[in-house]
Amino acid sequence: MKKLINDPQDFVAEMLKGTALANPGSLRYVPEFNLIMRVDAPREDKVSVIQGSGSGHEPAHVMFVGRGMLDGACPGDVFSAPPVDYVVGTTKMLNSPMGVLYLVNNYTGDGMAFEMAAEIVEAEGIRVATVVIDDDVAVKDSTYTIGRRGVAGNFFVIKAVGAAAELSASLDDLVLLGNRVNSVTRTMGMALTSCTPPAKGSPLFELGQSEMEMGVGIHGEPGRSREPLGSANEIIDALVEAVVADLPYRRGDQVALMINGLGATPVSELYLAYGRAHEQLVARGIDVARSYVGEYCTSLDMAGCSVTLVRLDDGLVDYLAAPADVAVRIF
Amino acid sequence: MKKLINDPQDFVAEMLKGTALANPGSLRYVPEFNLIMRVDAPREDKVSVIQGSGSGHEPAHVMFVGRGMLDGACPGDVFSAPPVDYVVGTTKMLNSPMGVLYLVNNYTGDGMAFEMAAEIVEAEGIRVATVVIDDDVAVKDSTYTIGRRGVAGNFFVIKAVGAAAELSASLDDLVLLGNRVNSVTRTMGMALTSCTPPAKGSPLFELGQSEMEMGVGIHGEPGRSREPLGSANEIIDALVEAVVADLPYRRGDQVALMINGLGATPVSELYLAYGRAHEQLVARGIDVARSYVGEYCTSLDMAGCSVTLVRLDDGLVDYLAAPADVAVRIF
C-alpha cells in the first residue's frame, strides 16, 4: 500500500483536520462527530442541508460544505455509514428553525443511520426531512443496497438544493427540488483498477491486468459485467448508451454532462473521455448545455470514471449556475 | 497499461478536443499547433500570455487557459517540448499590439523551442518577452535541465501575471512581476509510484513497493534520494523543511501553501498532507494566508505530491485572489 497516510486509524480525522485548516474562514471541524460544518451555520433564514455517507469518496461530501452547497457533512469511516450519534449530534448542532434536510445516498447503512437519527431528533422537536439519491443505473439491487445506489449524481442534488436553501426555500420545497433533480439524473461508472482502503492495506477486490468492471459501485461492488479491457471510446460509448437509455434522455433534451474520475485517473484522460461522450450525445440530438469534468465522487485510489447526465428541466440551470464556495477549488 | 485512451498517438489531440468541447463559450482548439486558446484572444488591450511545455502535466497548462490566466497553451507530446513551429504559429495567432509573453518552465527543450520561436517572430516584428520558471529546490541540474526545474509553482506565476495582464499591465511590467513571483516561490515533490506514458505503455522508471523518490521531477527524473517509504508526516516534514530552508522563508512571513497531487493521489490524502504542512509552518511562525490543495501540475498517473510555498510580498495576494475562469473548476 503506497499512500500519503500515517496510522490508518487516523486517516479520516487527519483528512478532516486538513480540510478545515485549508479553509479557516469558512469551515469548522468538530472531531466528536467527524463533522465539517460551515462556520456560519446554522442560520435562522435557511434550512440546514446535511450529508453523511462513508469517507473515501472525497471531495464528496466534506469538501462540498460551504456557501451554496452543504451546511455540514458527518462521514463515517472509510466506506462505512456514519454512526447514528454522529448524525444526531450534527443535526442538533445545525438545527435551524426552518428545519434540517438530510441528503442520503441509497445504501442500507446510510439509510438506517439517518432514519434512526431522524426519529431521535424529531422526538426532541427538531424538524427534519430526507431526500434519497439513487442515480446509478448499473444494477437494481447491490451488495449494500436495496434499490439503486447513489453515486456521482448526488453532486447535482447537493448543488441545486444548496442554491435553493441559500435563497431561503422551505424544507418542503427543498424536498420537492431534491427529488426532482434525482429523478432526472442518471449515472453509470466503470473501474480500470481496484481500490485499497487504508485500514485493509490491500485491494478491496481483484481485477486482472486485461479486465475492467462495467457498472462498478463506488465501494468496488460488482456492476453489470466483468469485461476485457476496452478503448476509451468503447468504454464511454457503453456508459453513455446505458445512461441515455435508462431515463431515457431524448432528442431535443438539454442536459448537463459529468465525467467523474474515481480517484486515480488523470484529468487528461477525463477530458479525453468527455470529448467522446459529448460527441455521442450530440449525435443523438441531445444538447449538452453544461459540462463537469473532474473528481466529484471517488472510490479512494480507484482508476476509472463514471458518466452522469442531468436533464435540465425548468429552472434547474439557475440552481446549478448559482455561486458556491466550497473546499474543492483551484484558486 | 490501464488508461482511458484510444490509440496512444491520439492521446494529446483527443484530450485537447475534449477540453475545448467542455468549454465551448471560452476556449478554442487549433489542432495545427496543439493550441488551446481563448476565443476572445488576442486583445488589443492586453498582452497575450502563452505557456508551452509537454503534455502529461494536466491541468497545467491547457486547462489554465481562460480569463485571468493564460491566453493560450501549445503543448508538445507527452513530456516533450512543443515543436518550434507550434510556438511560432501560436505566437502569430495571439499577437497583440501590447506584445506576447512566454512563460517557460526551465527545461532545455522548452527553452530552446521558445528561444528559437522568439527569434523568428521578432524578425517579423512581433514583440515578445520571456519569463523562465525554476521553482524546484530538489536538485541543481537534472536530466533535462541546466539549473533548477520548473514545476508546480508555475501556477502562481501564471495566476499573478494573468491577473495583471487582464488589467492591461505592460509587457515589461509583466516580466518584472513574473520574475518577482518566481523569485519567492519554491517547490519540492516526491513520488510514491512511477508513471506510464501512453506511447511507452510501461512505467517510465522503477520504484520498489517499499521505496519512494524524494525530490522527484515531474517527468520522473531522479530527485535527491531514493528512500524507504515513509509516513505522511515524515514525507511532508522533509518536503517542508527542504522548501523552507531554501529561500529561506522566515518567522513572520506570510505565505501561500500548495499541496499539489501528481496525478493518482486521492484528494483525501492531499488534504491530510495539507494539515501536516500547515501545522509545520505555523510551528515555525510562518503565517499561511492562502491554501491550495489539489492537482495543479501532474506527472500522468504518478502517485505522490509536491509542496510549494510563495512568500506573499507586497500586492501579490491581490493578483492571486483576482477572479479567473479556466477549464479546471467544479461548477
Side-chain angles (χ1 to χ4, degrees):
Chain A
M1 175 173 57
K2 298 188 105 174
K3 290 179 185 291
L4 285 173
I5 55 170
N6 299 301
D7 185 333
Q9 300 304 322
D10 300 328
F11 172 66
V12 172
E14 291 180 345
M15 178 259 290
L16 296 176
K17 187 182 71 177
T19 303
L21 280 172
N23 298 274
S26 56
L27 299 184
R28 178 182 160 200
Y29 169 40
V30 183
E32 195 179 352
F33 307 127
N34 264 12
L35 169 62
I36 292 286
M37 60 179 278
R38 291 172 64 166
V39 293
D40 62 349
R43 273 166 44 194
E44 292 199 350
D45 62 342
K46 78 180 286 292
V47 170
S48 288
V49 185
I50 295 173
Q51 258 272 10
S53 207
S55 293
H57 305 302
E58 292 72 25
H61 300 92
V62 291
M63 293 153 200
F64 293 156
V65 177
R67 186 172 61 95
M69 292 188 73
L70 298 174
D71 292 275
C74 54
D77 211 335
V78 171
F79 293 174
S80 298
V84 176
D85 62 317
Y86 286 17
V87 182
V88 169
T90 294
T91 309
K92 289 181 178 177
M93 287 195 70
L94 294 176
N95 181 21
S96 158
M98 289 188 66
V100 175
L101 179 65
Y102 294 159
L103 300 182
V104 181
N105 290 345
N106 189 37
Y107 296 97
T108 309
D110 293 299
M112 281 177 58
F114 278 88
E115 209 168 301
M116 291 173 66
E119 280 181 29
I120 292 169
V121 300
E122 279 172 342
E124 299 185 22
I126 299 178
R127 193 165 160 239
V128 298
T130 301
V131 168
V132 175
I133 300 157
D134 59 352
D135 56 310
D136 188 350
V137 308
V139 290
K140 169 135 188 35
D141 298 325
S142 178
T143 317
Y144 311 114
T145 323
I146 297 170
R148 290 181 163 185
R149 302 174 293 214
V151 289
N154 74 45
F155 172 84
F156 295 100
V157 177
I158 296 170
K159 183 67 185 67
V161 164
E166 212 68 53
L167 299 171
S168 296
S170 71
L171 186 58
D172 290 346
D173 284 349
L174 292 180
V175 170
L176 286 172
L177 176 62
N179 286 329
R180 187 155 75 88
V181 176
N182 184 59
S183 75
V184 294
T185 300
R186 296 289 189 276
T187 300
M188 190 158 119
M190 62 81 56
L192 290 169
T193 71
S194 185
C195 58
T196 298
K200 184 168 188 287
S202 59
L204 200 53
F205 63 101
E206 294 301 323
L207 199 54
Q209 267 308 309
S210 305
E211 289 181 325
M212 61 182 185
E213 179 76 22
M214 292 297 285
V216 72
I218 56 173
H219 314 93
E221 311 98 292
R224 288 191 180 177
S225 54
R226 181 71 55 101
E227 298 184 16
L229 191 58
S231 70
N233 287 355
E234 290 165 348
I235 290 167
I236 294 302
D237 290 0
L239 294 179
V240 166
E241 174 54 30
V243 169
V244 167
D246 190 85
L247 188 61
Y249 300 86
R250 299 175 194 280
R251 179 171 297 274
D253 281 350
Q254 200 175 55
V255 300
L257 165 60
M258 171 188 280
I259 303 294
N260 169 59
L262 292 179
T265 287
V267 68
S268 50
E269 297 176 34
L270 299 178
Y271 273 96
L272 183 152
Y274 178 88
R276 180 68 177 189
H278 184 111
E279 289 180 332
Q280 288 293 303
L281 293 171
V282 168
R284 285 171 167 82
I286 295 170
D287 175 21
V288 183
R290 293 186 69 83
S291 64
Y292 298 80
V293 188
E295 292 180 346
Y296 292 83
C297 186
T298 63
S299 304
L300 295 165
D301 54 355
M302 185 183 284
C305 73
S306 62
V307 173
T308 299
L309 290 180
V310 186
R311 196 177 64 207
L312 298 172
D313 297 350
D314 291 351
L316 278 194
V317 165
D318 294 336
Y319 292 123
L320 298 185
D325 181 19
V326 299
V328 183
R329 58 174 195 281
I330 74 157
F331 302 118
Chain B
M1 174 173 56
K2 299 189 105 174
K3 290 179 185 291
L4 285 173
I5 55 169
N6 299 300
D7 185 334
Q9 300 305 321
D10 300 328
F11 171 68
V12 172
E14 291 181 345
M15 177 259 292
L16 297 176
K17 187 182 71 176
T19 303
L21 280 173
N23 299 275
S26 55
L27 299 184
R28 178 181 161 200
Y29 170 40
V30 183
E32 193 179 352
F33 307 127
N34 265 12
L35 169 62
I36 292 286
M37 62 179 278
R38 291 172 62 165
V39 292
D40 61 349
R43 274 167 41 194
E44 292 200 349
D45 62 342
K46 76 180 287 294
V47 170
S48 288
V49 184
I50 295 172
Q51 259 271 10
S53 208
S55 294
H57 304 301
E58 292 72 25
H61 301 90
V62 290
M63 293 156 202
F64 293 156
V65 177
R67 184 172 63 94
M69 293 188 71
L70 298 174
D71 292 276
C74 55
D77 210 336
V78 170
F79 294 174
S80 298
V84 175
D85 61 318
Y86 286 17
V87 183
V88 170
T90 293
T91 310
K92 289 181 178 176
M93 287 195 70
L94 294 177
N95 180 21
S96 156
M98 289 189 65
V100 175
L101 178 65
Y102 294 159
L103 299 182
V104 181
N105 290 345
N106 189 37
Y107 296 96
T108 309
D110 292 300
M112 282 177 58
F114 278 88
E115 208 168 301
M116 290 173 66
E119 280 180 28
I120 293 168
V121 299
E122 279 171 341
E124 299 185 23
I126 299 178
R127 192 164 161 240
V128 297
T130 300
V131 169
V132 175
I133 300 157
D134 59 352
D135 55 310
D136 188 350
V137 308
V139 291
K140 174 142 184 27
D141 298 325
S142 179
T143 317
Y144 311 115
T145 323
I146 297 170
R148 289 181 163 187
R149 304 175 292 214
V151 289
N154 74 46
F155 172 85
F156 295 100
V157 178
I158 296 171
K159 182 68 186 66
V161 164
E166 212 68 51
L167 299 170
S168 296
S170 72
L171 186 58
D172 290 345
D173 284 347
L174 292 180
V175 169
L176 287 173
L177 176 61
N179 287 329
R180 186 155 73 88
V181 176
N182 184 59
S183 75
V184 293
T185 300
R186 297 290 189 276
T187 300
M188 190 159 118
M190 61 81 54
L192 291 169
T193 72
S194 184
C195 58
T196 298
K200 184 169 188 289
S202 59
L204 200 53
F205 62 100
E206 294 300 323
L207 199 53
Q209 265 309 311
S210 306
E211 289 181 324
M212 60 182 186
E213 179 77 22
M214 293 297 286
V216 71
I218 56 172
H219 315 92
E221 311 98 292
R224 286 191 180 177
S225 54
R226 180 74 51 104
E227 297 185 18
L229 190 58
S231 70
N233 287 354
E234 291 165 349
I235 290 167
I236 295 301
D237 290 0
L239 295 179
V240 167
E241 175 55 32
V243 169
V244 167
D246 190 86
L247 188 59
Y249 299 87
R250 300 177 195 278
R251 180 171 296 274
D253 281 351
Q254 201 176 54
V255 300
L257 166 60
M258 172 188 280
I259 304 294
N260 168 58
L262 293 179
T265 286
V267 68
S268 50
E269 297 176 32
L270 299 178
Y271 273 96
L272 184 153
Y274 178 88
R276 181 68 176 191
H278 185 110
E279 289 179 333
Q280 288 293 303
L281 293 171
V282 168
R284 285 172 168 82
I286 295 171
D287 175 21
V288 183
R290 292 186 69 82
S291 64
Y292 298 80
V293 187
E295 293 181 344
Y296 292 84
C297 186
T298 63
S299 304
L300 294 166
D301 53 357
M302 185 182 284
C305 72
S306 62
V307 172
T308 299
L309 289 179
V310 186
R311 196 177 63 207
L312 298 173
D313 296 351
D314 290 351
L316 277 194
V317 166
D318 295 336
Y319 293 123
L320 297 185
D325 182 19
V326 299
V328 182
R329 60 173 193 280
I330 74 155
F331 301 119

